[in-house]
Amino acid sequence: MKWIIKILICTMLVCITRHIHSQSFYFNDIYNPNNTWAAGLSIIGIDTGYFGCAISSDSITTNYNTCTFVMSESGKILHWNNFGRWGAHYFAGDEGALAKNNNHFGLFTSVEDGTLETSYGIFFKFDQYGDSILTRTFFDETDTFLIGRTCTATNDGGFALLGNNYRDGLADLLLIKTDSNGNEQWRQQYGTDSSDWAKSVIQTADNGFALGTWTRLNAGVYQRVTADPLVFKTDSLGNLEWTLNLGGPVMDDQAVLCPTQDSCIMVATTIGDSMFSIEYAYAKVNLIKIDLQGNVILNKKYGASMVKNSISNLSILENGDIICCGYVKYSIYLNPAGWLFRFNSDGDSLWYREYWYYPEDPNNHGRNYLNDVSATNDNGFIAVGYAYASPSDYPEKMWVLKVDSAGCEIADCWVGIEEEETGRPGDKETGRGLEIW
């Protein structure tokens, strides 16, 4: 009898443990730990919660700080760290710039030094609490400006750092390979006859690298009208193999990249089909799959064209699915909402959802931007960005959103035919279709 009781107790403990592990967490909150302002740029799901990077400022000098944070699964900030100094602005890279390498995290960003009147790259390596283990600085060899943008972990335990330097007023790409301690091993420079803004870097299956850019074609003061997403492919030593322009005739968005399970490159962007203004286009989400020789295998566009529809980042999930994040203005009268979009490995759309911290309200000017997204232990997603409402709640606060595997903000939310038809959760009256081209 005693052994039966012991078995029952063990079974109950296993079930409770599994239930706790499989529990989905939901929250939609804003944070301002320095009591000044804050914007989240990167976030990664970890075993105990979430690790991320943000930019903020201190209340004394108002200089920008690079910030790290560790958050519990339920959304409580456990650790918040500021890195900076008087007389300089410390940035936090671009969207999704944070990279995980074994038990550590790497960030390549930049410092704008007011005293020296220069900008240089800085690489941080952080421990699990967000404390800095080491930093390395990188300067341009021929110019006074080097801007660190993003990085990725490499197969040898090191990092590949991607940034910009400038020649003749145009931005060039700068790829720097380091060892695990951030010591430079080599660097290579690339560029077109326009400004190539560094946005994304991955290591490819052949141990080379793919770089995603936002290239703004040289057209004088209106050059942003013809911005294009470009992909640069290199070998393992950074020697350029090919370049591919994925843009159209009007302004498009940046190219953000992730590797696929079949050794290809997945590119996410938004493609404009007409201009709303000199600066912004009506654009659709665009997913493009490329093999390592630069051949396009898949090219799909999704949904109706929308104002200021912008891509921030994407990542691949364990089952090969793709999750993307960004933000959009649903009309010229409404301010931006963040969005998440999930696809399977063939580029078929699984669900698309929009999110707000500040509701759609033309009178309050609520703005909601998502900059990065990551998978979590409960098979859901964690996203980070910033949000504010003007004039009622300004300046911006870091916005963190936790949803389940279906993108729901609450348990058992509706995911059905109506949502697929309209392309917008809970909006059956608009008639907007989530079409695929």
Side-chain angles (χ1 to χ4, degrees):
M1 186 68 179
K2 288 183 178 179
W3 66 270
I4 295 177
I5 294 174
K6 288 181 179 179
I7 290 174
L8 289 173
I9 292 173
C10 290
T11 303
M12 290 174 62
L13 288 173
V14 169
C15 291
I16 291 171
T17 303
R18 286 181 177 174
H19 174 74
I20 291 173
H21 183 72
S22 63
Q23 176 185 355
S24 291
F25 291 89
Y26 303 89
F27 59 88
N28 183 345
D29 287 323
I30 54 173
Y31 304 83
N32 187 17
N34 289 343
N35 295 314
T36 53
W37 60 273
L41 274 300
S42 301
I43 199 160
I44 295 174
I46 58 176
D47 289 342
T48 56
Y50 326 106
F51 187 105
C53 283
I55 185 171
S56 184
S57 66
D58 62 66
S59 58
I60 300 173
T61 68
T62 69
N63 291 136
Y64 299 171
N65 287 342
T66 303
C67 306
T68 60
F69 62 91
V70 180
M71 187 174 283
S72 70
E73 290 181 303
S74 60
K76 180 182 178 181
I77 291 182
L78 305 175
H79 303 278
W80 177 274
N81 303 287
N82 293 282
F83 303 92
R85 61 177 171 82
W86 181 87
H89 290 313
Y90 279 62
F91 295 88
D94 279 4
E95 304 96 326
L98 186 68
K100 189 174 188 294
N101 199 340
N102 298 318
N103 295 322
H104 300 117
F105 301 86
L107 178 71
F108 186 47
T109 183
S110 53
V111 176
E112 183 182 296
D113 193 312
T115 303
L116 300 177
E117 297 183 348
T118 188
S119 292
Y120 57 88
I122 184 169
F123 172 75
F124 288 93
K125 188 175 180 179
F126 303 112
D127 65 16
Q128 60 184 325
Y129 306 107
D131 293 320
S132 175
I133 299 172
L134 60 84
T135 61
R136 297 284 185 265
T137 55
F138 297 87
F139 294 86
D140 184 62
E141 296 173 341
T142 60
D143 196 30
T144 56
F145 295 98
L146 192 162
I147 309 297
R149 301 286 187 188
T150 188
C151 67
T152 190
T154 54
N155 297 332
D156 60 0
F159 294 89
L161 318 180
L162 184 64
N164 284 121
N165 58 4
Y166 295 83
R167 55 170 175 82
D168 302 324
L170 299 177
D172 272 352
L173 302 174
L174 187 64
L175 179 64
I176 302 172
K177 175 66 178 69
T178 78
D179 64 16
S180 60
N181 291 318
N183 299 306
E184 182 173 338
Q185 296 174 315
W186 52 258
R187 66 170 63 188
Q188 296 276 15
Q189 184 169 323
Y190 322 91
T192 65
D193 58 359
S194 302
S195 282
D196 303 289
W197 280 23
K199 289 296 179 181
S200 185
V201 57
I202 60 170
Q203 188 166 35
T204 50
D206 59 359
N207 290 320
F209 298 94
L211 322 177
T213 76
W214 192 35
T215 295
R216 297 183 296 180
L217 305 184
N218 192 7
V221 69
Y222 302 121
Q223 63 179 334
R224 294 184 68 180
V225 175
T226 51
D228 285 335
L230 266 67
V231 177
F232 292 71
K233 172 67 173 68
T234 80
D235 65 16
S236 60
L237 296 176
N239 299 305
L240 185 65
E241 294 181 328
W242 50 261
T243 304
L244 184 62
N245 188 329
L246 299 170
V250 299
M251 192 185 78
D252 307 309
D253 204 5
Q254 61 192 17
V256 291
L257 318 177
C258 73
T260 65
Q261 292 184 341
D262 57 354
S263 302
C264 291
I265 301 164
M266 190 67 80
V267 184
T269 186
T270 60
I271 295 294
D273 53 23
S274 61
M275 296 304 296
F276 164 67
S277 66
I278 290 174
E279 197 170 10
Y280 299 115
Y282 292 99
K284 301 174 182 178
V285 174
N286 190 190
L287 206 62
I288 306 149
K289 186 176 181 180
I290 309 167
D291 67 20
L292 298 186
Q293 288 71 48
N295 302 305
V296 174
I297 299 173
L298 173 153
N299 189 340
K300 292 184 179 181
K301 301 180 180 69
Y302 307 84
S305 292
M306 293 180 286
V307 180
K308 202 178 179 180
N309 196 7
S310 301
I311 193 83
S312 295
N313 204 13
L314 84 164
S315 62
I316 189 168
L317 309 181
E318 288 185 357
N319 68 348
D321 286 0
I322 304 293
I323 185 74
C324 299
C325 69
Y327 53 89
V328 65
K329 288 185 66 166
Y330 232 95
S331 78
I332 61 175
Y333 305 106
L334 296 174
N335 286 294
W339 55 257
L340 298 179
F341 207 158
R342 185 171 180 172
F343 312 86
N344 66 19
S345 59
D346 294 321
D348 300 321
S349 60
L350 301 178
W351 51 258
Y352 168 88
R353 293 183 176 275
E354 292 167 5
Y355 305 91
W356 296 261
Y357 182 82
Y358 296 100
E360 295 178 299
D361 181 359
N363 298 317
N364 198 33
H365 302 288
R367 291 169 171 83
N368 309 270
Y369 300 90
L370 289 179
N371 288 330
D372 195 18
V373 62
S374 175
T376 57
N377 272 347
D378 60 1
N379 296 317
F381 301 99
I382 188 77
V384 71
Y386 65 97
Y388 66 92
S390 176
S392 64
D393 194 2
Y394 186 81
E396 63 264 43
K397 316 294 190 302
M398 183 173 76
W399 177 30
V400 184
L401 172 73
K402 175 63 180 67
V403 299
D404 63 21
S405 61
C408 297
E409 295 180 78
I410 57 173
D412 301 320
C413 74
W414 172 247
V415 181
I417 294 174
E418 289 90 346
E419 177 181 312
E420 293 175 357
E421 289 177 347
T422 65
R424 190 179 189 191
D427 188 353
K428 302 180 185 180
E429 305 300 325
T430 62
R432 298 185 182 95
L434 188 60
E435 305 170 63
I436 302 175
W437 288 265

